[in-house]
Amino acid sequence: MLLTVNQLLGEADVTGKRSSTVAGLALICAAAVLSTPAVAYASPAKPTPGKTKSLEDLRKEIEKLYHDAGVATDAYNAAEEKSEKQSKQIVKLARSISEGQQKLDKLKSRAGAAAREQYRSGGVSSEARLMLSDDPQEFLDSAGRMQQGHKATKGMLTEMERTQEDLRIYAKDATAQWKKLETNRKAKAASKKKIKKKIAAAEKMESKLEKEELERLRKLEEEAQLKKQSAWVSSGVLKDIKGKASGPGKKAIEFATAQIGKPYVWGAEGPSSYDCSGLTSKAWAAAGKGIPRTSQEQWKQLPHIDIKNMRPGDLIIYHADASHVGMYVGDGAIVHAPRPGRDVTVAGAGSMQILGVVRPDK
């Protein structure tokens, strides 16, 4: 299995990427080996003297804080995406208002010219001048011009009314978009505050640990992931997964795996850092397929695939609230941006609670 995954990731030993890749692959391979019920796992560390919680309890608490930060990050990204769309719509409406105002000004100018012409003729209407004419030909010519003038004036007035109505609608739409933009701005601010609060709480817990405890905490994280991956592999699910990556899927995998070693940063979508859905959305954009920005919208909008029909390039959505996503690369592995404090890496596809699978290029 290791050889096949390495073929997917490329054999080049890239500085800063190989260590995290090897760690992820080691976890996956270990799960394949330890896939029987008799597997023994290291027991959680005993509580440190003077501390009220064991490292295992602390790990679970930190994991929940980062999960909650992930949920808030998805909300932030969704608000950000909506704000960008609304800003573009406001710019479009502003352009329409400007063009409509210019058009209305020209129509008013024409109406003003007509009024000035009537003033210069002594205020006598065209109908009165027509009736006072003694020349039959002039009468007929004037009657034709008057009919055309009436038609043109009526058309101009109708156009002015239509333009004024368009401006009213544009202004109303722009006001509505501004209100939505402000609502999303507040939503972004609230999500940002929550993200920072959750991450700060997790980091505070970790900062109180000694170097040896931090190392043990990381091993506990790996053991918890390994246990889940082992159980997933033991279910025999990989026996049914035989799909091959599509052309665009291969390009998406190539992009995603090229980001291995880059740090997780919430709200980031490259090129130097990513969050989970920032990585998957950019990877598929590089493959020529635009997909939703957030993991929750990816789950809602993209076609769902039965896990037995999964193929490399598909996206695996995690947790009941669809708050995390990774890209399947084959052989029971994913590439993903895990959480703050971690880098883009390879991990076991079953090392987290799987909600389902979606396919961007179905």
Side-chain angles (χ1 to χ4, degrees), residues 5-24:
V5 174
N6 273 339
Q7 289 171 343
L8 281 168
L9 302 184
E11 294 294 338
D13 188 359
V14 182
T15 303
K17 296 182 181 180
R18 180 59 64 183
S19 59
S20 59
T21 304
V22 170

Side-chain angles (χ1 to χ4, degrees), residues 117-130 132:
E117 175 61 27
Q118 184 174 0
Y119 177 79
R120 283 194 293 270
S121 66
V124 180
S125 68
S126 55
E127 290 90 342
R129 292 200 305 274
L130 177 61
L132 293 173

Side-chain angles (χ1 to χ4, degrees), residues 21-225:
T21 304
V22 170
L25 291 174
L27 184 150
I28 299 162
C29 293
V33 175
L34 304 176
S35 58
T36 63
V39 175
Y41 298 96
S43 60
K46 294 180 179 180
T48 304
K51 295 183 186 290
T52 58
K53 295 181 181 178
S54 69
L55 277 178
E56 176 60 14
D57 290 335
L58 193 62
R59 180 195 69 78
K60 290 179 179 179
E61 192 168 345
I62 289 173
E63 184 179 81
K64 185 178 186 308
L65 285 169
Y66 281 127
H67 169 268
D68 292 346
V71 175
T73 297
D74 231 30
Y76 176 90
N77 290 335
E80 175 73 11
E81 189 173 36
K82 287 179 181 178
S83 293
E84 287 179 2
K85 290 180 180 178
Q86 286 154 4
S87 294
K88 289 178 181 177
Q89 185 64 22
I90 288 172
V91 170
K92 184 179 179 181
L93 286 167
R95 188 177 296 115
S96 297
I97 290 172
S98 177
E99 292 172 353
Q101 190 60 57
Q102 290 176 17
K103 181 179 178 181
L104 185 61
D105 290 343
K106 289 179 180 178
L107 289 170
K108 287 181 176 179
S109 179
R110 285 169 54 191
R116 287 192 296 274
E117 175 61 27
Q118 184 174 0
Y119 177 79
R120 283 194 293 270
S121 66
V124 180
S125 68
S126 55
E127 290 90 342
R129 292 200 305 274
L130 177 61
M131 296 303 295
L132 293 173
S133 175
D134 294 328
D135 187 337
Q137 186 59 47
E138 182 183 353
F139 179 89
L140 292 173
D141 292 343
S142 297
R145 287 194 299 272
M146 186 178 71
Q147 187 176 14
Q148 291 175 356
H150 281 172
K151 187 176 181 181
T153 301
K154 184 178 179 180
M156 182 177 64
L157 292 174
T158 300
E159 193 171 2
M160 283 180 66
E161 290 176 359
R162 185 167 55 244
T163 301
Q164 288 174 323
E165 178 62 15
D166 288 343
L167 286 171
R168 187 189 67 78
I169 293 172
Y170 292 151
K172 182 179 179 181
D173 289 347
T175 300
Q177 290 298 333
W178 272 115
K179 289 180 179 179
K180 289 181 181 179
L181 189 63
E182 178 62 13
T183 298
N184 279 315
R185 186 194 67 77
K186 291 179 180 178
K188 280 171 57 181
S191 295
K192 185 175 182 178
K193 184 178 180 180
K194 186 175 183 180
I195 293 165
K196 289 187 173 182
K197 182 179 179 181
K198 297 293 182 181
I199 293 176
E203 289 176 342
K204 184 177 180 180
M205 288 182 183
E206 292 177 312
S207 70
K208 293 180 179 179
L209 299 175
E210 300 293 337
K211 183 178 180 181
E212 293 77 9
E213 290 176 313
L214 283 171
E215 182 60 29
R216 180 58 184 148
L217 182 64
R218 183 150 192 157
K219 286 182 179 179
L220 284 174
E221 288 179 5
E222 293 174 355
E223 287 169 5
Q225 293 171 9

Side-chain angles (χ1 to χ4, degrees), residues 76-77 80-81 84 255 259 263 265-283 285 291-294:
Y76 176 90
N77 290 335
E80 175 73 11
E81 189 173 36
E84 287 179 2
F255 180 94
Q259 313 313 311
V265 174
W266 65 267
E269 46 187 336
S272 58
S273 58
Y274 296 87
D275 62 20
C276 66
S277 56
L279 177 65
T280 54
S281 60
K282 283 298 181 182
I291 64 173
R293 169 64 176 87
T294 70

